[in-house]
C-alpha cells in the first residue's frame, strides 16, 4: 500500500536525498508499534524490493519478494536468506560446498587463497569502501605550521608500496574516496615526488642531502598511531620514506582510547594516522568535521587544527547546492585547497572482497549498500 507525504524545506538543501537514503530514515509501517519493546512480535512489512518474512536477531533474516515494489518486474529472486554470526572460515567452507551464494567476510588468508584459485578468481570482485586513511599534520605545531614542510611530507610518502602487503588497499590522492558518488580527481593532487619534497624542505630552511644524510629538520617528530593494526605497519613504511627527505620520525603507539584523547587535544600531537568512514554518501562528510575550521576547539575532530577561509566558505555553500555538477565543482576546488595546504594527506582506501557462486547472475556490488540483490538471478 502507498502512503502519501511531503517534506517542506525552508531553504535548498543538497543533502536531503542523501540523508533520507540512510537506514535511520527508513519508512516505518503502520503495523509497527511506537513502543520499541513491542516491535519483536509486530507484523513486519517492506518498502523495498523485499519484505521481511522472518527475523531472529541472533540467527538471521528471511526476505521474500515484495510484490508492491515500485519497479515493475523486480526483484527477480523469490527470496533471500541471510545468516548472522557465522565465522569467516566457516563461510569459506559453506561457499566451497555450494551452501551459500555470496561471501564477503573472509580472513586475509582465505581471501588470498580463493583469489589465487582459478575456480573462484573469475567470480571474485573488489568493492570500494567509503573510507579514507590519511596522515594528519598539526598546523599549530612546528614544523607543520609551515605549509612547505607539510607539502614535503605529502610528496615524500608513497602508499603504492602498501598494496604489496595488502591487496585490498587502494592508494588514493584525494580526501573523498572513489566509492562516494561524484568523486572527482582535481588537477592538483598529491603524488609521490621525492625531488619535489626535497625542494619544499629546502624552501622551508631545512635543506637535506640524501647522499650524506646531512641537514633536514633538526628535531625528531612523534607520529601517533595504534599498535597491532595495519596503520602501525603503514606508519613504519612512511617513517622510512620521510627519513629520505630529512624528517626523522619516532612512532608513538597508544591504545585507541588514548589515541582519541591525544589527537583531539589542542597542542598535543604533531602528526599521525587519521581515518574517516562516510556517515552518509556525500563528499561533505569527509571535509566536516576533519578539515572544517568550525570544528576546531579544545576537543576537536579536526586533528590538524586547520582553518582555511575559502574552504570553510565552500563547505557552507555546498549545503545549499542541489545540482550534482555544481556540487562536484565545489568539492573539486576543496580538494585542490587541501592538496596545496596539505594539513591532511589522503593515503589509502579499503576494498572488500566478494566471492560469488558461478550461477549467481545480475548481481552488481555497491560500495554504499552491504547487499543489493534487486537484479540478481540464477
Amino acid at each position: 500500500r502507498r502512503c502519501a507525504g511531503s517534506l517542506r524545506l525552508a531553504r535548498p538543501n543538497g543533502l536531503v536525498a542523501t540523508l533520507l537514503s540512510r537506514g535511520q530514515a527508513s519508512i516505518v509501517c503502520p503495523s509497527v508499534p511506537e513502543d520499541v519493546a513491542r516491535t519483536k512480535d509486530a507484523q513486519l512489512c517492506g518498502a523495498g524490493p523485499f519484505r521481511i518474512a522472518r527475523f531472529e536477531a541472533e540467527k538471521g533474516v528471511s526476505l521474500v519478494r515484495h510484490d508492491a515494489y515500485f519497479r515493475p518486474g523486480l526483484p527477480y529472486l523469490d527470496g533471500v536468506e541471510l545468516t548472522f554470526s557465522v565465522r569467516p572460515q566457516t563461510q569459506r567452507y559453506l561457499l566451497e560446498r555450494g551452501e551459500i551464494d555470496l561471501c564477503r567476510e573472509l580472513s586475509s588468508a582465505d581471501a588470498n587463497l580463493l583469489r589465487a584459485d582459478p575456480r573462484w578468481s573469475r567470480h571474485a570482485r573488489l568493492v570500494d569502501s567509503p573510507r579514507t586513511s590519511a596522515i594528519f599534520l598539526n598546523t599549530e605545531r612546528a614544523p607543520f605550521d609551515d605549509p612547505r614542510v607539510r607539502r614535503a611530507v605529502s610528496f615524500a610518502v608513497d602508499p603504492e608500496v602498501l598494496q604489496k602487503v595488502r591487496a585490498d588497499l587502494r592508494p588514493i590522492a584525494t580526501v573523498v574516496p572513489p566509492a562516494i558518488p561524484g568523486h572527482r580527481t582535481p588537477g592538483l593532487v598529491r603524488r609521490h615526488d621525492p625531488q619535489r619534497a626535497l625542494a619544499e624542505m629546502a624552501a622551508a630552511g631545512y635543506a637535506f642531502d640524501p647522499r650524506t644524510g646531512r641537514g633536514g629538520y633538526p628535531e625528531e617528530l612523534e607520529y601517533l598511531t595504534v599498535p597491532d593494526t595495519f596503520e602501525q605497519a603503514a606508519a613504519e613504511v612512511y617513517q622510512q620514506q620521510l627519513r629520505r627527505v630529512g624528517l626523522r620520525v619516532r612512532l608513538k603507539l597508544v591504545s585507541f582510547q588514548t589515541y582519541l584523547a591525544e589527537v583531539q587535544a589542542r597542542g598535543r600531537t604533531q602528526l599521525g594516522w587519521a581515518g574517516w568512514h562516510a556517515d552518509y554518501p556525500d563528499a561533505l562528510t569527509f571535509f566536516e568535521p576533519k578539515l572544517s575550521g568550525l570544528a576546531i576547539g579544545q576537543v576537536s575532530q579536526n586533528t590538524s587544527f586547520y582553518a582555511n577561509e575559502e574552504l570553510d566558505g565552500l563547505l557552507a555553500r555546498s549545503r545549499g547546492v542541489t545540482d550534482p555538477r555544481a556540487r562536484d565543482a565545489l568539492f573539486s576546488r576543496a580538494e585542490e585547497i587541501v592538496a596545496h595546504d596539505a594539513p591532511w594527506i589522503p593515503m589509502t582506501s579499503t576494498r572488500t572482497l566478494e566471492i560469488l557462486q558461478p550461477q549467481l547472475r545480475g548481481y552488481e556490488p555497491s560500495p554504499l549498500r552491504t547487499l543489493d540483490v534487486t537484479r540478481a538471478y540464477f
Side-chain angles (χ1 to χ4, degrees):
R1 136 177 106 169
R2 252 171 224 218
C3 300
S6 63
L7 293 173
R8 185 177 298 276
L9 303 177
R11 62 184 66 85
N13 188 323
L15 294 175
V16 168
T18 298
L19 295 176
L20 288 178
S21 70
R22 301 177 70 190
Q24 296 92 324
S26 297
I27 294 173
V28 177
C29 305
S31 61
V32 178
E34 292 186 14
D35 183 1
V36 176
R38 296 173 51 211
T39 59
K40 180 179 179 181
D41 299 320
Q43 179 184 354
L44 301 174
C45 58
F50 298 94
R51 60 182 179 84
I52 298 174
R54 176 187 61 84
F55 176 76
E56 297 180 60
E58 301 300 324
K59 295 182 179 180
V61 60
S62 295
L63 306 176
V64 295
R65 192 177 192 275
H66 186 204
D67 293 328
Y69 187 49
F70 75 99
R71 292 177 177 169
L74 294 177
Y76 299 128
L77 298 176
D78 292 326
V80 178
E81 293 282 340
L82 299 174
T83 306
F84 303 154
S85 303
V86 180
R87 294 176 57 192
Q89 189 175 31
T90 302
Q91 292 186 48
R92 172 201 154 191
Y93 295 141
L94 293 173
L95 182 77
E96 292 177 327
R97 292 202 300 260
E99 296 180 29
I100 59 175
D101 298 301
L102 186 151
C103 181
R104 66 193 325 263
E105 296 178 0
L106 294 164
S107 66
S108 297
D110 285 341
N112 292 333
L113 181 67
L114 292 176
R115 290 185 68 194
D117 188 333
R119 294 173 300 174
W120 295 104
S121 59
R122 293 178 299 166
H123 310 292
R125 303 177 182 184
L126 284 169
V127 184
D128 285 313
S129 70
R131 177 176 175 79
T132 294
S133 284
I135 298 172
F136 76 86
L137 306 174
N138 191 331
T139 61
E140 295 183 338
R141 290 283 307 273
F144 303 121
D145 53 349
D146 188 333
R148 294 169 296 189
V149 179
R150 300 198 299 266
R151 283 193 291 270
V153 174
S154 177
F155 289 122
V157 290
D158 179 17
E160 295 281 349
V161 299
L162 299 177
Q163 276 192 311
K164 299 177 182 178
V165 182
R166 278 186 55 176
D168 64 331
L169 286 182
R170 177 169 181 167
I172 58 174
T174 52
V175 174
V176 183
I180 298 299
H183 169 80
R184 296 290 183 272
T185 301
L188 177 63
V189 295
R190 182 197 54 75
R191 64 185 184 279
H192 179 53
D193 189 339
Q195 293 305 313
R196 182 76 180 272
L198 290 169
E200 293 284 359
M201 287 290 289
Y206 305 117
F208 178 72
D209 185 350
R211 293 174 299 176
T212 63
R214 294 179 179 175
Y217 188 68
E219 299 177 17
E220 189 177 57
L221 304 171
E222 197 169 72
Y223 186 108
L224 191 69
T225 191
V226 180
D228 302 323
T229 64
F230 181 76
E231 299 306 334
Q232 176 188 345
E236 292 168 357
V237 173
Y238 305 149
Q239 182 183 41
Q240 297 174 34
Q241 294 172 342
L242 291 172
R243 179 177 287 274
R244 296 169 191 161
V245 299
L247 291 167
R248 295 177 296 113
V249 174
R250 178 175 63 86
L251 302 189
K252 181 179 179 181
L253 306 177
V254 297
S255 69
F256 186 65
Q257 291 75 14
T258 302
Y259 163 85
L260 291 177
E262 288 280 325
V263 300
Q264 294 177 6
R266 200 160 197 168
R268 296 285 287 276
T269 307
Q270 288 177 298
L271 77 161
W273 162 70
W276 194 255
H277 189 283
D279 289 324
Y280 47 88
D282 187 88
L284 185 61
T285 187
F286 286 92
F287 287 92
E288 292 183 347
K290 303 305 290 185
L291 291 160
S292 169
L294 298 177
I296 296 176
Q298 290 303 318
V299 177
S300 171
Q301 288 198 53
N302 181 344
T303 52
S304 298
F305 295 90
Y306 168 74
N308 179 288
E309 186 175 345
E310 182 185 358
L311 178 63
D312 288 345
L314 290 171
L315 301 184
R317 285 171 52 197
S318 73
R319 290 187 169 274
V321 176
T322 58
D323 179 71
R325 291 187 178 181
R327 287 182 67 79
D328 287 351
L330 288 176
F331 287 112
S332 180
R333 175 57 188 154
E335 292 277 13
E336 291 178 351
I337 292 171
V338 175
H340 181 267
D341 286 356
W344 214 67
I345 305 170
M347 300 301 290
T348 61
S349 185
T350 55
R351 296 179 291 183
T352 300
L353 178 68
E354 291 186 342
I355 307 285
L356 317 178
Q357 291 289 354
Q359 63 267 25
L360 181 61
R361 311 288 182 85
Y363 168 72
E364 292 296 332
S366 169
L368 304 178
R369 290 187 289 270
T370 302
L371 188 66
D372 184 356
V373 291
T374 306
R375 296 181 180 273
Y377 63 93
F378 291 99

